[in-house]
Amino acid sequence: MVKRTGRRVVTAMAVALALALAGCTNASNTSDAQQLYDRAAVSESDVRLDNAVMAFFVGPQNSEMYTVVGEVHRPGYLVLVNADGSFRTVKTKRMDMMSPIWSRHGLYFTDESDDYQLTATGLTKTANTKINAQNQMFALPEGGAVGVYNAGFVDGGGYNNQVSVTKAGTARLYNVQGNYFTGALCGSEIFGLTNRPGTHDREAAQLPNMTSSMDQSSRPQMLARLYPADGGEKVVAWRPHFGGGTPAGRVPCRENVITFLSWDRDSQGGEQPNVVSWDTRTGEYQAHPLTFDDGTRLNFEYFGGIVQDVQAGKLQWIYGDGRVFSTDSRTGQTTTEFDTNLGAGARVPSQTTFVFSGAQLHALSTVPGGEGEMVYTVLSRTDGKVLSRVSVHIPNTSVNVSYLNLSHMAVRPAL
Protein backbone atom coordinates (compact mmCIF):
# COMPACT_ATOMS: atom_id res chain seq x y z
CA MET A 1 0.00 0.00 0.00
CA VAL A 2 1.38 3.39 -0.97
CA LYS A 3 0.86 6.36 1.28
CA ARG A 4 0.63 9.40 -0.98
CA THR A 5 2.39 12.34 0.57
CA GLY A 6 4.39 15.35 -0.43
CA ARG A 7 7.53 13.30 0.16
CA ARG A 8 6.43 10.14 -1.65
CA VAL A 9 6.69 8.12 1.54
CA VAL A 10 5.97 4.42 1.07
CA THR A 11 4.04 2.65 3.84
CA ALA A 12 4.35 -1.11 4.26
CA MET A 13 1.25 -3.24 3.74
CA ALA A 14 1.83 -4.60 7.23
CA VAL A 15 1.30 -1.18 8.75
CA ALA A 16 -1.86 -0.66 6.74
CA LEU A 17 -3.25 -4.02 7.85
CA ALA A 18 -2.31 -3.58 11.49
CA LEU A 19 -3.31 0.04 11.90
CA ALA A 20 -6.08 0.83 9.43
CA LEU A 21 -8.05 2.68 12.03
CA ALA A 22 -9.21 5.82 10.27
CA GLY A 23 -12.81 6.90 10.68
CA CYS A 24 -15.03 8.64 8.15
CA THR A 25 -17.08 11.33 9.84
CA ASN A 26 -17.76 14.97 9.20
CA ALA A 27 -15.84 18.06 10.26
CA SER A 28 -18.17 18.91 13.13
CA ASN A 29 -17.44 15.57 14.80
CA THR A 30 -13.73 16.19 14.30
CA SER A 31 -14.14 19.46 16.18
CA ASP A 32 -15.99 17.67 19.00
CA ALA A 33 -13.24 15.06 19.25
CA GLN A 34 -10.49 17.63 19.34
CA GLN A 35 -12.34 19.49 22.08
CA LEU A 36 -12.52 16.25 24.08
CA TYR A 37 -8.73 15.84 24.00
CA ASP A 38 -8.13 19.56 24.51
CA ARG A 39 -10.23 19.55 27.70
CA ALA A 40 -8.09 16.72 29.07
CA ALA A 41 -4.79 18.39 28.16
CA VAL A 42 -2.23 19.05 30.90
CA SER A 43 0.38 21.74 30.42
CA GLU A 44 3.95 20.62 29.71
CA SER A 45 5.10 22.22 32.95
CA ASP A 46 2.54 20.34 35.06
CA VAL A 47 2.32 16.88 33.49
CA ARG A 48 3.73 13.87 35.38
CA LEU A 49 3.49 10.11 34.84
CA ASP A 50 1.71 9.78 38.20
CA ASN A 51 -0.49 6.66 38.15
CA ALA A 52 -0.71 6.16 34.40
CA VAL A 53 -0.65 2.49 33.39
CA MET A 54 -0.93 2.84 29.63
CA ALA A 55 -0.42 5.47 26.92
CA PHE A 56 -1.38 5.79 23.28
CA PHE A 57 -1.36 8.43 20.58
CA VAL A 58 -4.02 9.92 18.32
CA GLY A 59 -3.13 12.29 15.52
CA PRO A 60 -3.13 13.02 11.80
CA GLN A 61 -1.88 10.61 9.16
CA ASN A 62 0.81 11.81 6.77
CA SER A 63 -1.63 11.81 3.86
CA GLU A 64 -3.76 14.35 5.77
CA MET A 65 -0.80 16.65 6.36
CA TYR A 66 -0.12 17.14 2.63
CA THR A 67 -3.27 17.71 0.59
CA VAL A 68 -4.19 19.14 -2.79
CA VAL A 69 -5.03 22.42 -1.05
CA GLY A 70 -1.66 22.63 0.71
CA GLU A 71 0.07 21.57 3.90
CA VAL A 72 -2.19 21.15 6.93
CA HIS A 73 -1.04 21.55 10.54
CA ARG A 74 -3.22 19.87 13.14
CA PRO A 75 -2.13 18.70 16.59
CA GLY A 76 -1.74 15.19 17.94
CA TYR A 77 -2.34 13.99 21.50
CA LEU A 78 -0.47 11.60 23.74
CA VAL A 79 -3.15 10.02 25.95
CA LEU A 80 -2.19 8.85 29.48
CA VAL A 81 -4.65 6.31 30.91
CA ASN A 82 -5.06 5.44 34.61
CA ALA A 83 -6.17 2.07 36.00
CA ASP A 84 -9.75 3.33 36.47
CA GLY A 85 -10.08 4.44 32.84
CA SER A 86 -9.65 8.15 33.48
CA PHE A 87 -7.18 9.91 31.21
CA ARG A 88 -5.09 13.01 30.58
CA THR A 89 -3.48 14.23 27.37
CA VAL A 90 -0.33 16.00 26.25
CA LYS A 91 -0.87 18.10 23.15
CA THR A 92 1.85 17.73 20.51
CA LYS A 93 2.61 18.78 16.98
CA ARG A 94 2.28 16.36 14.05
CA MET A 95 3.76 12.86 13.86
CA ASP A 96 2.21 10.17 11.69
CA MET A 97 2.16 6.71 13.35
CA MET A 98 3.86 8.01 16.48
CA SER A 99 4.98 5.07 18.64
CA PRO A 100 5.42 5.91 22.33
CA ILE A 101 7.82 3.60 24.18
CA TRP A 102 7.99 3.05 27.94
CA SER A 103 11.02 1.88 29.93
CA ARG A 104 12.24 2.16 33.51
CA HIS A 105 13.65 5.55 32.50
CA GLY A 106 10.24 6.94 31.60
CA LEU A 107 7.87 7.31 28.67
CA TYR A 108 9.40 8.51 25.39
CA PHE A 109 7.44 10.09 22.54
CA THR A 110 8.02 12.59 19.75
CA ASP A 111 6.61 15.03 17.23
CA GLU A 112 8.03 16.83 14.20
CA SER A 113 9.78 19.51 16.29
CA ASP A 114 10.72 17.91 19.62
CA ASP A 115 11.46 14.72 21.52
CA TYR A 116 9.93 14.08 24.95
CA GLN A 117 10.72 12.06 28.07
CA LEU A 118 8.00 11.92 30.70
CA THR A 119 8.82 10.69 34.22
CA ALA A 120 7.42 10.90 37.74
CA THR A 121 9.14 14.26 38.16
CA GLY A 122 8.07 15.93 34.93
CA LEU A 123 8.55 16.35 31.19
CA THR A 124 11.89 16.86 29.44
CA LYS A 125 11.56 18.39 25.98
CA THR A 126 14.45 18.34 23.51
CA ALA A 127 14.35 20.33 20.27
CA ASN A 128 14.77 18.03 17.28
CA THR A 129 13.27 18.90 13.88
CA LYS A 130 12.70 15.83 11.71
CA ILE A 131 10.43 14.06 9.25
CA ASN A 132 6.86 13.71 10.53
CA ALA A 133 6.31 10.03 9.66
CA GLN A 134 7.63 7.56 12.23
CA ASN A 135 8.48 3.94 11.43
CA GLN A 136 9.80 2.74 14.80
CA MET A 137 10.81 3.78 18.33
CA PHE A 138 13.18 2.10 20.80
CA ALA A 139 14.08 2.84 24.44
CA LEU A 140 17.77 2.32 25.15
CA PRO A 141 18.59 0.24 28.26
CA GLU A 142 20.93 2.91 29.59
CA GLY A 143 18.36 5.66 29.06
CA GLY A 144 17.40 7.66 26.00
CA ALA A 145 15.50 6.74 22.88
CA VAL A 146 16.11 6.08 19.18
CA GLY A 147 13.48 6.80 16.54
CA VAL A 148 13.37 5.83 12.88
CA TYR A 149 11.55 8.15 10.47
CA ASN A 150 10.41 7.72 6.88
CA ALA A 151 11.90 10.41 4.62
CA GLY A 152 10.89 8.70 1.37
CA PHE A 153 12.50 8.62 -2.05
CA VAL A 154 15.34 11.06 -2.68
CA ASP A 155 16.51 12.71 -5.87
CA GLY A 156 19.08 10.68 -7.74
CA GLY A 157 17.84 7.35 -6.42
CA GLY A 158 17.78 5.75 -3.01
CA TYR A 159 15.36 5.82 -0.12
CA ASN A 160 16.06 7.74 3.08
CA ASN A 161 15.12 7.02 6.64
CA GLN A 162 16.21 9.31 9.44
CA VAL A 163 17.58 7.95 12.72
CA SER A 164 17.20 10.21 15.74
CA VAL A 165 19.11 9.57 18.97
CA THR A 166 18.01 11.49 22.07
CA LYS A 167 19.95 11.17 25.31
CA ALA A 168 20.27 13.37 28.40
CA GLY A 169 18.56 16.34 26.77
CA THR A 170 20.58 16.28 23.54
CA ALA A 171 19.51 15.02 20.11
CA ARG A 172 21.42 13.75 17.10
CA LEU A 173 19.96 13.06 13.65
CA TYR A 174 21.44 11.19 10.67
CA ASN A 175 20.27 9.56 7.45
CA VAL A 176 20.32 5.87 6.57
CA GLN A 177 19.59 4.18 3.25
CA GLY A 178 16.58 1.87 3.24
CA ASN A 179 13.07 1.88 4.65
CA TYR A 180 12.85 0.12 8.02
CA PHE A 181 9.41 -0.74 9.39
CA THR A 182 10.68 -3.76 11.35
CA GLY A 183 13.55 -3.76 13.81
CA ALA A 184 15.06 -5.12 17.01
CA LEU A 185 16.98 -3.91 20.03
CA CYS A 186 19.90 -6.27 20.70
CA GLY A 187 21.57 -5.13 23.90
CA SER A 188 22.31 -1.49 23.09
CA GLU A 189 22.33 -1.97 19.31
CA ILE A 190 19.41 -1.43 16.95
CA PHE A 191 18.96 -3.42 13.75
CA GLY A 192 16.47 -2.93 10.94
CA LEU A 193 14.95 -5.19 8.29
CA THR A 194 13.97 -3.91 4.86
CA ASN A 195 12.99 -5.00 1.36
CA ARG A 196 13.54 -1.46 0.14
CA PRO A 197 17.33 -1.11 0.53
CA GLY A 198 17.78 2.31 -1.08
CA THR A 199 21.09 2.70 -2.87
CA HIS A 200 22.03 -0.84 -1.78
CA ASP A 201 19.60 -1.94 -4.49
CA ARG A 202 22.47 -2.21 -6.98
CA GLU A 203 24.51 -4.26 -4.52
CA ALA A 204 21.64 -6.68 -4.00
CA ALA A 205 21.22 -7.25 -7.74
CA GLN A 206 24.81 -8.55 -7.96
CA LEU A 207 24.54 -11.07 -5.13
CA PRO A 208 24.26 -14.80 -6.00
CA ASN A 209 20.84 -16.42 -5.51
CA MET A 210 19.31 -13.11 -4.56
CA THR A 211 17.32 -12.42 -7.71
CA SER A 212 13.72 -13.41 -8.37
CA SER A 213 12.91 -15.10 -11.68
CA MET A 214 9.30 -13.94 -11.28
CA ASP A 215 10.01 -10.25 -10.67
CA GLN A 216 13.34 -8.79 -11.75
CA SER A 217 12.65 -5.58 -9.83
CA SER A 218 12.19 -7.45 -6.55
CA ARG A 219 15.01 -7.24 -4.03
CA PRO A 220 15.95 -9.56 -1.15
CA GLN A 221 15.60 -8.65 2.50
CA MET A 222 18.46 -6.69 4.04
CA LEU A 223 19.56 -6.69 7.68
CA ALA A 224 21.39 -3.53 8.75
CA ARG A 225 22.62 -1.99 11.97
CA LEU A 226 21.11 1.45 12.44
CA TYR A 227 22.55 2.32 15.86
CA PRO A 228 25.16 2.99 17.14
CA ALA A 229 26.59 4.81 14.16
CA ASP A 230 28.42 8.02 13.37
CA GLY A 231 26.04 8.24 10.44
CA GLY A 232 24.55 5.83 7.95
CA GLU A 233 23.76 2.16 8.20
CA LYS A 234 26.00 -0.91 8.37
CA VAL A 235 24.77 -3.72 6.11
CA VAL A 236 25.04 -7.03 7.97
CA ALA A 237 23.55 -9.58 5.56
CA TRP A 238 20.87 -10.44 2.98
CA ARG A 239 18.38 -13.26 2.59
CA PRO A 240 16.18 -14.27 -0.37
CA HIS A 241 12.75 -12.82 0.32
CA PHE A 242 10.92 -11.43 -2.71
CA GLY A 243 7.60 -10.15 -1.50
CA GLY A 244 4.93 -11.29 0.90
CA GLY A 245 5.59 -9.31 4.06
CA THR A 246 7.27 -9.08 7.45
CA PRO A 247 5.02 -7.70 10.21
CA ALA A 248 5.98 -4.17 11.15
CA GLY A 249 7.18 -3.15 14.58
CA ARG A 250 9.66 -4.35 17.18
CA VAL A 251 10.71 -8.00 17.08
CA PRO A 252 12.64 -9.88 19.79
CA CYS A 253 16.41 -10.36 19.98
CA ARG A 254 18.11 -12.85 22.29
CA GLU A 255 21.88 -13.44 22.39
CA ASN A 256 22.31 -11.33 19.24
CA VAL A 257 19.78 -13.40 17.25
CA ILE A 258 16.65 -11.72 15.89
CA THR A 259 13.59 -13.98 15.64
CA PHE A 260 10.51 -13.02 13.65
CA LEU A 261 7.72 -14.25 11.40
CA SER A 262 7.76 -13.54 7.69
CA TRP A 263 5.39 -14.36 4.86
CA ASP A 264 8.09 -15.29 2.35
CA ARG A 265 7.92 -15.45 -1.42
CA ASP A 266 10.78 -17.36 -3.01
CA SER A 267 12.54 -16.75 -6.35
CA GLN A 268 9.97 -18.92 -8.16
CA GLY A 269 6.97 -17.13 -6.69
CA GLY A 270 6.05 -19.75 -4.08
CA GLU A 271 4.72 -18.39 -0.78
CA GLN A 272 4.63 -19.63 2.82
CA PRO A 273 4.77 -18.21 6.36
CA ASN A 274 8.13 -18.89 8.01
CA VAL A 275 9.81 -18.30 11.34
CA VAL A 276 13.21 -16.71 10.77
CA SER A 277 16.23 -16.56 13.11
CA TRP A 278 18.94 -14.15 11.96
CA ASP A 279 22.29 -13.81 13.71
CA THR A 280 23.32 -10.15 13.81
CA ARG A 281 26.98 -11.07 14.38
CA THR A 282 27.57 -13.69 11.66
CA GLY A 283 24.79 -12.75 9.25
CA GLU A 284 23.66 -16.38 9.08
CA TYR A 285 19.94 -17.14 9.17
CA GLN A 286 17.56 -20.07 9.40
CA ALA A 287 13.98 -20.16 8.14
CA HIS A 288 11.42 -22.85 8.93
CA PRO A 289 7.84 -23.14 7.64
CA LEU A 290 5.16 -22.75 10.29
CA THR A 291 3.43 -26.06 11.00
CA PHE A 292 0.30 -26.53 13.14
CA ASP A 293 -0.86 -29.75 14.83
CA ASP A 294 -4.48 -28.61 14.74
CA GLY A 295 -4.46 -27.77 11.02
CA THR A 296 -4.55 -23.99 11.47
CA ARG A 297 -4.10 -22.06 8.24
CA LEU A 298 -3.05 -18.42 8.18
CA ASN A 299 -4.50 -15.69 5.99
CA PHE A 300 -2.15 -12.98 4.74
CA GLU A 301 -4.90 -10.42 5.36
CA TYR A 302 -4.29 -10.72 9.11
CA PHE A 303 -0.56 -11.39 8.96
CA GLY A 304 0.45 -7.75 9.01
CA GLY A 305 -1.18 -7.21 12.41
CA ILE A 306 1.01 -9.74 14.21
CA VAL A 307 2.75 -8.65 17.43
CA GLN A 308 5.73 -10.77 18.55
CA ASP A 309 7.81 -11.47 21.66
CA VAL A 310 9.79 -14.31 23.25
CA GLN A 311 8.20 -16.29 26.08
CA ALA A 312 9.61 -19.47 27.68
CA GLY A 313 12.16 -19.83 24.90
CA LYS A 314 9.61 -19.69 22.09
CA LEU A 315 8.31 -16.96 19.82
CA GLN A 316 4.91 -15.96 21.17
CA TRP A 317 2.72 -13.98 18.81
CA ILE A 318 -0.77 -12.70 18.44
CA TYR A 319 -2.45 -13.05 15.06
CA GLY A 320 -4.68 -10.35 13.63
CA ASP A 321 -7.86 -12.25 14.47
CA GLY A 322 -7.00 -12.29 18.20
CA ARG A 323 -5.55 -15.81 18.60
CA VAL A 324 -2.23 -16.25 20.43
CA PHE A 325 0.32 -18.82 19.22
CA SER A 326 3.81 -19.96 20.24
CA THR A 327 6.41 -21.18 17.74
CA ASP A 328 9.59 -23.18 18.18
CA SER A 329 12.06 -21.18 16.09
CA ARG A 330 14.24 -24.29 15.57
CA THR A 331 11.50 -26.27 13.83
CA GLY A 332 8.55 -23.99 13.01
CA GLN A 333 6.24 -26.17 15.11
CA THR A 334 3.42 -23.91 16.30
CA THR A 335 0.89 -24.34 19.10
CA THR A 336 -2.37 -22.48 19.61
CA GLU A 337 -2.26 -21.02 23.12
CA PHE A 338 -5.60 -19.23 23.49
CA ASP A 339 -8.04 -16.86 21.81
CA THR A 340 -8.35 -13.34 23.22
CA ASN A 341 -11.67 -12.87 21.39
CA LEU A 342 -10.38 -9.38 20.62
CA GLY A 343 -10.00 -9.75 16.90
CA ALA A 344 -8.59 -7.00 14.73
CA GLY A 345 -8.31 -6.61 11.00
CA ALA A 346 -9.94 -5.11 7.95
CA ARG A 347 -13.10 -7.26 8.17
CA VAL A 348 -13.57 -7.23 11.93
CA PRO A 349 -15.76 -4.42 13.34
CA SER A 350 -13.55 -3.77 16.37
CA GLN A 351 -9.93 -2.67 16.10
CA THR A 352 -7.39 -3.71 18.71
CA THR A 353 -3.73 -2.94 19.29
CA PHE A 354 -1.70 -5.36 21.42
CA VAL A 355 1.46 -5.14 23.52
CA PHE A 356 3.30 -7.93 25.36
CA SER A 357 4.85 -6.86 28.67
CA GLY A 358 6.32 -9.19 31.28
CA ALA A 359 3.82 -11.98 32.00
CA GLN A 360 0.91 -10.05 30.49
CA LEU A 361 -0.73 -9.22 27.18
CA HIS A 362 -2.29 -5.76 26.95
CA ALA A 363 -5.04 -4.84 24.49
CA LEU A 364 -6.69 -1.54 23.60
CA SER A 365 -9.92 -1.96 21.63
CA THR A 366 -12.20 0.45 19.86
CA VAL A 367 -15.15 0.27 17.49
CA PRO A 368 -14.59 3.06 14.95
CA GLY A 369 -17.74 5.15 14.80
CA GLY A 370 -19.51 2.80 17.20
CA GLU A 371 -21.32 3.28 20.48
CA GLY A 372 -19.74 2.91 23.92
CA GLU A 373 -16.20 3.61 25.06
CA MET A 374 -12.74 2.27 24.33
CA VAL A 375 -11.79 -0.83 26.35
CA TYR A 376 -8.42 -1.64 27.92
CA THR A 377 -7.91 -5.33 28.71
CA VAL A 378 -5.01 -7.07 30.47
CA LEU A 379 -4.64 -10.84 30.03
CA SER A 380 -2.30 -13.54 31.29
CA ARG A 381 0.18 -14.65 28.62
CA THR A 382 0.02 -18.18 29.98
CA ASP A 383 -3.65 -19.04 29.54
CA GLY A 384 -5.42 -15.91 28.29
CA LYS A 385 -7.27 -15.31 31.56
CA VAL A 386 -8.58 -11.77 31.78
CA LEU A 387 -6.80 -10.07 34.68
CA SER A 388 -8.52 -6.71 34.33
CA ARG A 389 -10.82 -4.90 31.95
CA VAL A 390 -11.74 -1.25 32.14
CA SER A 391 -13.54 1.22 29.92
CA VAL A 392 -11.39 4.17 28.91
CA HIS A 393 -13.62 7.20 29.18
CA ILE A 394 -13.30 8.16 25.53
CA PRO A 395 -16.33 7.50 23.29
CA ASN A 396 -15.54 5.34 20.29
CA THR A 397 -16.96 8.09 18.12
CA SER A 398 -14.23 10.43 19.40
CA VAL A 399 -11.26 8.14 18.74
CA ASN A 400 -11.18 7.56 15.01
CA VAL A 401 -12.65 10.79 13.77
CA SER A 402 -11.11 12.18 10.60
CA TYR A 403 -7.48 12.90 11.42
CA LEU A 404 -7.54 11.62 15.04
CA ASN A 405 -6.31 8.15 14.16
CA LEU A 406 -5.28 5.70 16.87
CA SER A 407 -1.59 4.80 16.69
CA HIS A 408 0.57 2.52 18.83
CA MET A 409 0.24 2.12 22.58
CA ALA A 410 2.76 1.61 25.38
CA VAL A 411 2.31 0.14 28.85
CA ARG A 412 4.07 0.77 32.15
CA PRO A 413 6.85 -1.86 32.33
CA ALA A 414 6.70 -4.52 35.02
CA LEU A 415 9.18 -3.95 37.83
Side-chain angles (χ1 to χ4, degrees):
M1 183 177 185
V2 176
K3 182 179 288 183
R4 295 175 175 84
T5 75
R7 296 185 176 88
R8 295 187 297 159
V9 172
V10 174
T11 298
M13 182 179 293
V15 173
L17 292 175
L19 297 163
L21 302 177
C24 299
T25 57
N26 60 39
S28 62
N29 283 335
T30 298
S31 176
D32 291 343
Q34 186 169 340
Q35 290 177 25
L36 173 77
Y37 293 109
D38 277 340
R39 287 195 298 270
V42 180
S43 69
E44 293 178 357
S45 60
D46 292 334
V47 67
R48 305 286 188 274
L49 272 179
D50 292 334
N51 296 320
V53 296
M54 182 265 285
F56 64 93
F57 181 75
V58 290
Q61 293 182 321
N62 197 275
S63 59
E64 295 165 310
M65 302 176 192
Y66 303 94
T67 71
V68 293
V69 297
E71 190 169 350
V72 178
H73 288 265
R74 286 174 169 169
Y77 300 86
L78 179 86
V79 183
L80 297 164
V81 180
N82 297 320
D84 63 359
S86 60
F87 71 96
R88 298 161 286 141
T89 69
V90 180
K91 194 171 185 177
T92 74
K93 294 184 180 178
R94 306 177 303 175
M95 181 54 68
D96 183 24
M97 304 310 298
M98 197 271 275
S99 306
I101 186 75
W102 207 329
S103 78
R104 63 186 181 88
H105 298 284
L107 178 64
Y108 297 92
F109 58 103
T110 188
D111 62 25
E112 62 186 345
S113 299
D114 299 281
D115 295 331
Y116 303 86
Q117 179 187 10
L118 181 60
T119 68
T121 59
L123 184 69
T124 299
K125 183 176 180 180
T126 304
N128 186 19
T129 301
K130 54 195 162 310
I131 295 298
N132 51 28
Q134 186 170 50
N135 284 1
Q136 301 185 71
M137 188 78 156
F138 301 89
L140 296 172
E142 67 273 19
V146 175
V148 182
Y149 303 86
N150 194 338
F153 292 101
V154 294
D155 293 337
Y159 198 102
N160 272 358
N161 275 187
Q162 290 181 331
V163 175
S164 170
V165 183
T166 306
K167 288 183 177 182
T170 62
R172 181 167 62 94
L173 192 68
Y174 56 89
N175 289 335
V176 295
Q177 275 296 296
N179 191 23
Y180 301 93
F181 278 104
T182 305
L185 177 66
C186 299
S188 293
E189 296 181 301
I190 294 171
F191 294 85
L193 299 168
T194 184
N195 284 69
R196 187 175 293 279
T199 52
H200 298 291
D201 182 274
R202 295 181 290 273
E203 175 186 343
Q206 303 303 315
L207 297 171
N209 304 316
M210 294 288 178
T211 303
S212 170
S213 61
M214 302 298 293
D215 182 0
Q216 295 299 313
S217 65
S218 183
R219 291 294 176 262
Q221 191 169 62
M222 185 176 81
L223 171 66
R225 191 181 72 186
L226 307 181
Y227 172 87
D230 293 330
E233 69 292 340
K234 178 184 178 182
V235 178
V236 176
W238 302 80
R239 73 178 186 98
H241 172 266
F242 306 106
T246 300
R250 295 181 293 275
V251 296
C253 180
R254 297 293 185 275
E255 297 181 350
N256 301 311
V257 176
I258 298 172
T259 304
F260 59 96
L261 300 181
S262 184
W263 194 287
D264 288 352
R265 182 179 298 137
D266 62 27
S267 62
Q268 303 303 313
E271 297 185 16
Q272 66 182 19
N274 288 328
V275 59
V276 180
S277 299
W278 208 339
D279 194 311
T280 62
R281 291 291 186 259
T282 67
E284 297 178 354
Y285 75 93
Q286 293 183 353
H288 300 284
L290 297 185
T291 57
F292 299 82
D293 287 339
D294 59 5
T296 294
R297 297 179 65 87
L298 301 183
N299 186 324
F300 181 69
E301 178 184 11
Y302 293 109
F303 197 78
I306 287 173
V307 177
Q308 308 168 74
D309 195 19
V310 169
Q311 174 83 340
K314 293 186 178 182
L315 183 69
Q316 188 175 44
W317 49 281
I318 184 161
Y319 191 45
D321 66 1
R323 287 178 292 171
V324 174
F325 299 89
S326 63
T327 297
D328 188 331
S329 61
R330 300 166 299 179
T331 64
Q333 184 63 43
T334 302
T335 302
T336 303
E337 299 289 350
F338 56 88
D339 192 340
T340 66
N341 296 308
L342 296 170
R347 297 182 182 178
V348 180
S350 65
Q351 299 289 346
T352 302
T353 58
F354 296 97
V355 173
F356 287 114
S357 179
Q360 299 175 341
L361 172 63
H362 300 250
L364 179 64
S365 304
T366 179
V367 181
E371 297 180 355
E373 297 180 332
M374 301 179 70
V375 178
Y376 174 47
T377 307
V378 182
L379 306 96
S380 166
R381 290 178 64 168
T382 303
D383 55 13
K385 179 182 178 181
V386 175
L387 304 177
S388 65
R389 178 174 285 140
V390 62
S391 291
V392 181
H393 305 320
I394 299 173
N396 286 309
T397 53
S398 295
V399 180
N400 307 112
V401 183
S402 184
Y403 77 91
L404 294 177
N405 298 288
L406 174 64
S407 185
H408 300 76
M409 74 165 176
V411 299
R412 183 183 287 272
L415 298 178

